[in-house]
Amino acid sequence: MDILIAFGVAAFFSFMGSVFLGLVNAAVIDAAINRSEKSALWLAAGGVIPELPYTLIAIFGSSYVSILEQYKSMISIALGIVFIVMGLGYMFCKKKAIEVAETGSGALAHFTKGFFLALANPQLIFYWSGYLILFQTGTFSRGEPLFNFTESFWDPTKWSFALGAVAGAFLILYIYTKLAVRYKNQLLKLIGDNLSFVIGIVFIIIGLFTIIKNAF
């Protein structure tokens, strides 16, 4: 029962935590509109992979979290600068011809892009560390832990929780992909050729917010 509960809880909070527009979400929507549904799904698949190691670090590595905490501000500011540079790239890059047909290399390129965009978000470690404390202290269940972890590295409940985080993140990206494809024409009419510019603005806002939040 703990295995199923851990999976469901992680999937729910991962889904809810990924609803708001972020780097991977924005890139998935852009790929769905300007390239193809397959491109977006490959990008989404790559974008959820880092959920697994980051969640496992939160579960297994309390010592690693404490070490990272010391450098959290510096890491976040550096990533904020990277986000701004990426945003400027989206805003001012020349519009390339859209290839609707996907090839193997194209799929790999989108998968890799999603992976590295998500990898640039180590905040997930702190996100899950915070929630795990709440789950284990019974904040959501009248003083009793929602589920129990053993000390074993191969504890199936731990791995079920991590896989639930991956599943929840992919589900919201899948929904975004389907919505973007379904309402592609309406979005193009609304935004036109400015979608890359809008995506760039999103990246820059996230970058500035990250820097300001951690610098002051």
Side-chain angles (χ1 to χ4, degrees):
M1 183 61 73
D2 277 358
I3 295 175
L4 294 177
I5 293 174
F7 182 91
V9 168
F12 174 78
F13 281 95
S14 181
F15 180 93
M16 296 305 296
S18 303
V19 166
F20 297 105
L21 198 62
L23 297 176
V24 178
N25 309 48
V28 165
I29 293 171
D30 179 55
I33 293 175
N34 284 323
R35 293 190 178 275
S36 70
E37 182 176 341
K38 284 185 177 180
S39 296
L41 290 176
W42 274 110
L43 200 152
V48 300
I49 296 300
E51 287 274 353
L52 188 62
Y54 284 156
T55 305
L56 289 173
I57 289 174
I59 294 172
F60 291 111
S62 57
S63 58
Y64 295 108
V65 174
S66 61
I67 292 172
L68 286 173
E69 186 72 40
Q70 302 175 34
Y71 305 100
K72 180 180 177 182
S73 294
M74 288 187 292
I75 293 172
S76 298
I77 291 172
L79 291 174
I81 294 172
V82 172
F83 296 159
I84 291 174
V85 172
M86 291 175 64
L88 291 172
Y90 262 99
M91 290 174 65
F92 299 110
C93 67
K94 295 181 179 180
K95 193 71 174 179
K96 296 180 180 180
I98 299 174
E99 296 289 343
V100 176
E102 285 297 311
T103 63
S105 60
L108 180 60
H110 286 97
F111 181 90
T112 304
K113 179 179 180 180
F115 176 80
F116 281 109
L117 281 176
L119 197 65
N121 185 25
Q123 299 281 1
L124 283 172
I125 299 173
F126 305 101
Y127 175 85
W128 285 119
S129 294
Y131 271 116
L132 282 166
I133 292 173
L134 296 178
F135 298 150
Q136 296 301 305
T137 55
T139 302
F140 296 108
S141 51
R142 299 181 181 180
E144 294 293 329
L146 275 174
F147 43 83
N148 294 298
F149 292 143
T150 69
E151 294 183 1
S152 171
F153 178 83
W154 299 110
D155 178 7
T157 305
K158 292 178 178 177
W159 288 87
S160 177
F161 186 89
L163 291 173
V166 173
F170 184 79
L171 179 58
I172 189 63
L173 293 176
Y174 179 82
I175 291 173
Y176 275 136
T177 298
K178 289 295 185 180
L179 289 175
V181 170
R182 181 172 182 177
Y183 297 104
K184 176 178 180 178
N185 293 332
Q186 291 91 324
L187 288 170
L188 287 175
K189 288 180 182 179
L190 180 65
I191 305 176
D193 293 329
N194 296 318
L195 181 61
S196 293
F197 186 85
V198 173
I199 298 297
I201 291 293
V202 171
F203 275 52
I204 290 173
I205 290 174
I206 293 173
L208 289 173
F209 176 79
T210 302
I211 292 172
I212 293 171
K213 181 181 178 181
N214 290 277
F216 301 100

